[in-house]
Amino acid sequence: MAYDWLKGVADDYDVIVIGSGLGGLTGANVLAKAGHRVLLLEHHYQYGGLATWFTRKGGHIFDISLHGFPIGMIKSCRKYWTKEIADAIVQLKDIRFVNPQMDVWTTFTREDYTRVLVEKFGLEPAHVEKFYDYLRSMNFYDNNPETTGEMLERFFPGRDDVKRLLMEPIAYANGSTLDDPAITYGIVFSNFMGAGVYTFRGGSDVLIEKMVAELKRNGGELRKKVLVDRILVEEHEGRKVACGIVASNGRVVRAKAILSNANIKNTIFRLAGAANFPPDYVELAQAVRINSSSCQVYLGIRKGESIPHIGDLVFTSDNPKFSSHELTAFHTTSRTFSVYYPETRPGSGRYTVVVSLNGQYGDWERLGDADYEREKQRLIDESVAALERFIPDVRAKIDWTEAATPRTIERYTRHAGGTSFGTKFEGLKVSLDLPEKLPGLFHAGSVGIIMSGWLGTINYGVIVAHKIDKALFEQKKAVAAVPAPGRI
């Protein structure tokens, strides 16, 4: 008989959280600290969603993708997690861009990025500052139809090299394209443009272990290897409400509120069911576009070997100029090396390289088994060859290679379309409106402008947790106001 991973779980909770990405974990922690009884369910054998890790023989520990986030992570982790977690967030000092148009090193701070744009690209300092100021003034509620491509051309006409420097890191951060609304670029770029790019010292394994421990200390209950089959929906006082979950083993667990950290499309169409929403809302949800995905190549350096410092994040490409289409093409030459030096995991003495390439799910979904394995090996071979340009003897030092694709992401996260970046801009309204359309059901995940990786995910988890806390308070107040039977 299969082990019951729900053994010991109560029959009802205040909140059930589906999924343990950073939005789900953070939302659960905020609610648990507020005194609510919280159960978090994760179908994978690891917590963390896309902020997770895996191990391989030879002592290798791989973070599953390129990880870099703004300085705002320090404040958010200190406020909503712990000082210990916040204090382990450190700056990446060397961000590098290498392509036919440039070979640039920068700390990605506002000051240093300005230096690069002025000294290397010949721009006037006042014009650069004007661009920054415009981005910071952008408001989510403004009705601005301008695309990112149109905005960049307006500020830097004919300067494909400048556009590439400004666009490439954000495209890797959240799947932005030149055709997306300018605000989806402006808000993310402004978040990064200030004090540089940061990572977590110790790796994702240490981060998630500390978060799980903190959530448990605050009274949260967690279970992994539990697949939620569907959200339990019942009719109360003439209206449908979400009131629990049904696990894949048939176990029903009830709750006053459900927080889904799944993809918004999965939440509506797979977990809750379209029949439980108004037709006009279903139509809006169906129209939401899934964002692009990514591939990763994991390169493990043999124990005892070392590699030189080539930068912390190295954005590379053979393409003559930036192209949103080329960046996600099946045979793209655009890739980013995320280099993990020994100081990333203090005491390990180990080096690893995670190579990230943006991609499209459809290119990989159509492949048969043999073609799929062959194309994964191509990714590995091309990535090692590209790394040899920076470290000529690296091939002899690598003792583990592995590739992941959008199909891998779909398998382990169950994200619709294997997306790394959630949905496009229109997904945000659908996500925010969810509890109005099906009371009791809330969503926190990668949608619209809240798709800038770790920081956006954590902050969205906080926003939605506060909404749930308020809703639960209103429920308790309403119950308290109802007279007991036999009393006036």
Side-chain angles (χ1 to χ4, degrees), residues 448-471:
I449 59 171
I450 307 177
M451 60 183 185
S452 52
W454 288 23
L455 179 59
T457 304
I458 279 181
N459 287 344
Y460 198 19
V462 172
I463 291 169
V464 177
H466 288 321
K467 290 184 177 181
I468 294 173
D469 180 58
K470 181 180 179 181

Side-chain angles (χ1 to χ4, degrees), residues 50 64-65 290-298 327-330 332 355-367 372 375-376 378-379 403-421:
L50 283 170
I64 65 163
S65 64
I290 294 295
N291 212 329
S292 56
S293 185
S294 60
C295 301
Q296 287 75 39
V297 174
Y298 305 101
L327 192 71
T328 61
F330 192 56
T332 181
V355 191
S356 293
L357 307 89
N358 286 17
Q360 299 288 351
Y361 175 77
D363 289 337
W364 293 90
E365 191 271 338
R366 61 181 171 77
L367 298 177
Y372 182 66
E375 293 297 342
K376 286 206 298 183
R378 174 182 63 81
L379 285 184
T405 75
R407 281 166 59 168
T408 315
I409 294 172
E410 179 188 46
R411 176 185 175 187
Y412 287 109
T413 68
R414 302 180 71 85
H415 285 178
T419 178
S420 299
F421 308 111

